[in-house]
C-alpha cells in the first residue's frame, strides 16, 4: 500500500505563491504517475496536473498552465506543486494521488491512492 500526505496549504493574497508537498510512504514504483487534483465546495474534483516518476514528464490543466509547476524528488518519494500568481478561483482543497502511468491522467476515478488534502485559500 501507498500512503500520501499533503502539506503546505494556507491563506495567501491574490498574486502570491504557495508550494504544496506530497510525501509518499510505502513502495513507490517507477511506473507510477502522481496527480494533483482540487475540489471547491459544491464542485466536482478537477484535474490540476500530473508527473511521472520515471522521466518526470508533466501535464497540466489549461486553467493552471504557466502558473503551476509540478516537480518530484525520487529519493525522498515527494512530489511538489509550486503555485504562482494565485487567483481567488484557485481556492480549493488540494489532493495528491497516485496511479500507474497507463491510461488517462485526467480522471480522478482512475487513481488508486489519495492523500487527505490540504486547504488553499486565496483572498482577493
Amino acid at each position: 500500500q501507498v500512503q500520501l500526505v499533503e502539506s503546505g496549504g494556507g491563506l495567501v493574497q491574490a498574486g502570491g505563491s504557495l508550494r504544496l508537498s506530497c510525501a509518499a510512504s510505502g513502495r513507490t514504483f517507477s511506473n507510477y504517475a502522481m496527480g494533483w487534483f482540487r475540489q471547491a465546495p459544491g464542485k466536482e474534483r478537477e484535474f490540476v496536473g500530473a508527473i511521472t516518476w520515471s522521466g518526470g514528464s508533466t501535464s497540466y490543466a489549461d486553467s493552471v498552465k504557466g502558473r503551476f509547476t509540478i516537480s518530484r524528488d525520487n529519493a525522498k518519494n515527494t512530489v511538489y506543486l509550486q503555485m504562482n500568481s494565485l487567483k481567488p478561483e484557485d481556492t480549493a482543497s488540494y489532493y495528491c494521488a497516485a496511479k500507474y502511468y497507463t491510461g488517462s491522467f485526467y480522471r480522478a476515478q482512475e487513481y488508486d491512492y489519495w492523500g487527505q488534502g490540504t486547504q488553499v485559500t486565496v483572498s482577493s
Side-chain angles (χ1 to χ4, degrees), residues 6 20 22 35-39 45 93-97 114-118:
E6 304 95 335
L20 305 184
C22 175
W36 285 96
F37 291 79
R38 65 187 183 185
Q39 188 168 22
R45 189 166 297 186
S93 292
Y94 282 72
Y95 300 85
C96 66
W114 290 86
Q116 65 181 23
T118 185

Side-chain angles (χ1 to χ4, degrees), residues 41-92:
K43 302 198 69 174
E44 195 74 17
R45 189 166 297 186
E46 67 172 344
F47 173 78
V48 175
I51 188 169
T52 59
W53 281 109
S54 179
S57 60
T58 55
S59 298
Y60 299 96
D62 289 341
S63 59
V64 306
K65 196 173 298 181
R67 299 188 297 121
F68 292 9
T69 303
I70 298 174
S71 61
R72 90 283 195 219
D73 186 333
N74 288 13
K76 295 182 178 180
N77 286 335
T78 300
V79 175
Y80 305 96
L81 179 65
Q82 179 67 47
M83 304 185 294
N84 298 326
S85 302
L86 283 162
K87 305 174 181 179
E89 52 262 43
D90 295 319
T91 295

Side-chain angles (χ1 to χ4, degrees), residues 8-51:
L11 174 64
V12 298
Q13 292 183 321
S17 298
L18 280 176
R19 187 196 193 204
L20 305 184
S21 298
C22 175
S25 60
R27 290 294 302 273
T28 301
F29 299 98
S30 62
N31 61 343
Y32 269 44
M34 301 294 294
W36 285 96
F37 291 79
R38 65 187 183 185
Q39 188 168 22
K43 302 198 69 174
E44 195 74 17
R45 189 166 297 186
E46 67 172 344
F47 173 78
V48 175
I51 188 169

